[in-house]
Amino acid sequence: TDSPSFPLDIYQSGSFMEITKASVSDIPDLCRLLDILFSQELEFSPDQSAQVKGLSQIIENPEIGHIIVAKANGNIVGM
């Protein structure tokens, strides 16, 4: 299958959401989302330095993979 090209702009329910690949500048917001997730799971606990290291490795090495983010009004709301 063909991969989508990014960024994608989606219009739904009266607002736009942009879907794009994460960049290094997105890491603080991605850590915030991971903190929310990990605080809800008993077997995980937030570890910002580990999160920054892992996210950086993925974002800086596209051969590993990609992190896709959803932005509403310029703010990351999902990954």
Side-chain angles (χ1 to χ4, degrees), residues 10 17 22-23 43-44 52 54 62 72:
I10 298 170
M17 186 168 296
S23 67
E43 63 271 12
F44 296 108
V52 168

Side-chain angles (χ1 to χ4, degrees), residues 8-34:
L8 297 174
D9 290 323
I10 298 170
Y11 183 77
Q12 184 175 5
S13 301
S15 63
F16 279 100
M17 186 168 296
E18 180 183 27
I19 308 298
T20 189
K21 292 179 185 176
S23 67
V24 171
S25 65
D26 294 326
I27 290 175
D29 288 331
L30 299 177
C31 286
R32 180 184 53 79
L33 291 176
L34 289 172

Side-chain angles (χ1 to χ4, degrees), residues 25-71:
S25 65
D26 294 326
I27 290 175
D29 288 331
L30 299 177
C31 286
R32 180 184 53 79
L33 291 176
L34 289 172
D35 286 347
I36 293 168
L37 173 66
F38 291 159
S39 67
Q40 296 175 9
E41 299 293 332
L42 295 176
E43 63 271 12
F44 296 108
S45 60
D47 180 343
Q48 185 141 11
S49 64
Q51 292 164 199
V52 168
K53 182 179 177 183
L55 292 166
S56 296
Q57 287 178 340
I58 296 168
I59 292 169
E60 294 173 351
N61 297 288
E63 65 277 4
I64 294 174
H66 300 284
I67 298 173
I68 306 302
V69 297
K71 295 182 180 182

